[in-house]
Amino acid sequence: MVGKRGRLAILGTGIGGLATAMGCRALGIPYTLFDPATDPLQGGAALTLWPHALRALLCLAGRSRLPDWMEPIQAGDVRTARGCAVYELPLEWMERRYGLRPSCVRRVDLSTWMWQELGSPSILRLAAEEAVHVNHGGSVAVRFSDNSTRLFDGVVAADGIHSRIRSQYVGDEPRSTGYTAWRGIARSLGSTNPLRMREYWGPGSRFGYAYIDASSVYWFATVNHSLFSSRRIPTWEDAQHCLLRLPSEVGDMIQHTLVTDVLQHPVQDFAPGAPLVLGRIAFVGDAGHAITPNLGLGACLALEDAVTFMSVLRQARTYDTAFQHYARSRRHRVALIARATRLLGDVTQLENAALNWVRNKAIRCTPTTISLPVWRLLLGEPIRCLEDGVKGIS
């Protein structure tokens, strides 16, 4: 295992950064958390964790069961804008294969829980610009917000899709998809239905939701820019107009969401193929391989990254070896998911009615002998935590 005296700097305290810290803690490797934000654990709406990612979380936390507030989704499907069934999610199959069902959680709840699992460590303020400098001897200097510096044996960049570290050392930019997303959490719905996740597919627009608990629902909406003149970026008012044709539960959720809590952002990703490691800088989560949110796999990949990083740190003798093994282990999988989520977005945002009909018909006619292997590919092999390493991620 990598020498315990080699300290790592983890830049960014989102899901990927905190998960990496949990792996370091499990191995007894010292680390320091950094973030440029004044309140880094706050913000965001919610996220979906598929069962393979929940197993990764348990592995990192050294636990055998999830906290009670992570409630399993009991039903899930895809429907047309008119409410006609297209596809039912194989949740029972997922439970048999992975031992768990997916769960939807508030981002702040998950971040706070992970931070508390770490023992509530200090999070130091990172400098706003050029915060990392690689020295010729292999060490990495990290600059604080007060311009003081500290040397580390390695850096994990986990500072999101707009990563300053990636911009500084890789230099590429996220690419556009041509549609915008809105996200929010509807509260006090008072539903007695089982916890459900669902998507409605309309022409050039989608609306999806997942229950967090019996009274709170996380939802998202996406709308193509091409639906508007000059292909302009639509506003929330524009989006609501596009969603009027959907079933009434969509309007109920929007009405139970404070306008000030609705988040808007362009849907972007990184083209696959960029390096996941540069010397002693490793990129995890969106900083390394931001994907479109069309399958809700972004946080899942970040948890996978952390488990893989934990495994290579356990097995390698030096950070140089561990970082290179991490890059080789993750390269093909993250590229696969990036391409799959990009393609799914293109297919589900179709505007042509005839193409939408063909798409829906094809999905309805797809047998489980085809659909379940696709799910196995997307979710990967079940993660098994063993004393001699973490198996099941590639």
Side-chain angles (χ1 to χ4, degrees):
M1 186 177 74
V2 170
K4 291 187 176 182
R5 289 189 296 175
R7 179 172 288 274
L8 290 177
I10 300 175
L11 312 183
T13 53
I15 305 304
L18 292 172
T20 303
M22 293 173 78
C24 290
R25 181 204 58 169
L27 298 177
I29 293 176
Y31 65 89
T32 301
L33 290 172
F34 295 85
D35 201 286
T38 56
D39 200 355
L41 301 181
Q42 300 299 312
L47 47 86
T48 301
L49 295 178
W50 294 94
H52 71 299
L54 293 171
R55 287 181 66 106
L57 188 63
L58 289 173
C59 178
L60 292 164
R63 288 176 172 263
S64 60
R65 63 188 301 269
L66 297 168
D68 293 338
W69 51 268
M70 288 189 184
E71 300 192 42
I73 297 292
Q74 299 299 327
D77 58 21
V78 175
R79 293 177 177 264
T80 67
R82 295 182 178 180
C84 299
V86 175
Y87 180 71
E88 183 175 350
L89 294 177
L91 299 185
E92 292 184 1
W93 171 83
M94 291 181 190
E95 187 170 14
R96 290 194 302 270
R97 180 172 174 79
Y98 298 96
L100 295 163
R101 293 192 178 211
S103 181
C104 183
V105 297
R106 296 176 182 84
R107 180 177 288 273
V108 65
D109 290 345
L110 180 60
S111 297
T112 301
W113 179 80
M114 295 173 73
W115 178 67
Q116 291 173 344
E117 286 289 298
L118 290 168
S120 305
S122 299
I123 301 174
L124 305 182
R125 289 289 305 280
L126 193 64
E129 302 292 339
E130 296 187 356
V132 171
H133 177 73
V134 179
N135 297 322
H136 292 297
S139 63
V140 184
V142 176
R143 187 160 58 90
F144 296 77
S145 57
D146 64 359
N147 286 324
S148 63
T149 61
R150 184 185 299 180
L151 294 180
F152 292 87
D153 295 282
V155 164
V156 176
D159 50 340
I161 187 171
H162 299 294
S163 168
R164 295 168 179 172
I165 313 306
R166 181 180 179 125
S167 178
Q168 181 181 346
Y169 284 96
V170 181
D172 58 348
E173 295 292 335
R175 56 182 182 171
S176 173
T177 59
Y179 50 94
T180 290
W182 293 262
R183 297 174 292 133
I185 297 177
R187 308 174 193 275
S188 303
L189 288 175
S191 174
T192 58
N193 295 327
L195 300 190
R196 172 185 296 279
M197 59 196 312
R198 171 174 288 171
E199 282 195 21
Y200 290 106
W201 292 353
S205 63
R206 280 179 293 157
F207 186 93
Y209 68 82
Y211 273 81
I212 298 172
D213 52 44
S215 62
S216 301
V217 181
Y218 165 65
W219 59 262
F220 73 89
T222 56
V223 175
N224 287 356
H225 301 169
S226 57
L227 294 177
F228 303 91
S229 60
S230 304
R231 303 179 70 90
R232 63 179 174 82
I233 296 177
T235 64
W236 177 224
E237 288 73 22
D238 294 327
Q240 291 182 81
H241 180 75
C242 293
L243 301 173
L244 288 176
R245 71 196 73 179
L246 300 180
S248 60
E249 66 172 343
V250 173
D252 291 340
M253 292 177 188
I254 292 174
Q255 289 178 6
H256 282 81
T257 306
L258 294 175
V259 175
T260 54
D261 290 343
V262 176
L263 305 177
Q264 175 177 345
H265 61 88
V267 178
Q268 300 173 312
D269 68 355
F270 281 124
L276 295 176
V277 164
L278 291 173
R280 290 196 183 177
I281 301 176
F283 298 93
V284 305
D286 284 352
H289 44 73
I291 61 174
T292 61
N294 296 306
L295 280 168
L297 285 171
C300 299
L301 284 184
L303 290 167
E304 288 183 31
D305 287 347
V307 172
T308 302
F309 199 65
M310 173 180 168
S311 178
V312 298
L313 286 176
R314 175 184 278 130
Q315 297 172 23
R317 293 182 178 274
T318 67
Y319 279 135
D320 293 319
T321 302
F323 279 33
Q324 291 304 316
H325 283 180
Y326 163 74
R328 286 195 295 269
S329 297
R330 296 299 289 157
R331 180 170 58 245
H332 296 298
R333 174 153 174 80
V334 298
L336 167 70
I337 300 302
R339 294 187 180 100
T341 55
R342 181 87 180 196
L343 175 62
L344 182 63
D346 293 340
V347 170
T348 55
Q349 294 289 140
L350 289 172
E351 298 174 21
N352 183 277
L355 291 178
N356 281 334
W357 184 90
V358 171
R359 175 200 64 199
N360 296 342
K361 183 69 173 179
I363 293 174
R364 291 188 183 108
C365 294
T366 301
T368 56
T369 53
I370 294 177
S371 62
L372 291 184
V374 171
W375 278 108
R376 282 197 292 269
L377 190 65
L378 292 173
L379 302 186
E381 293 297 318
I383 295 168
R384 292 177 289 134
C385 296
L386 304 175
E387 291 184 1
D388 60 345
V390 182
K391 309 296 184 183
I393 291 183
S394 59

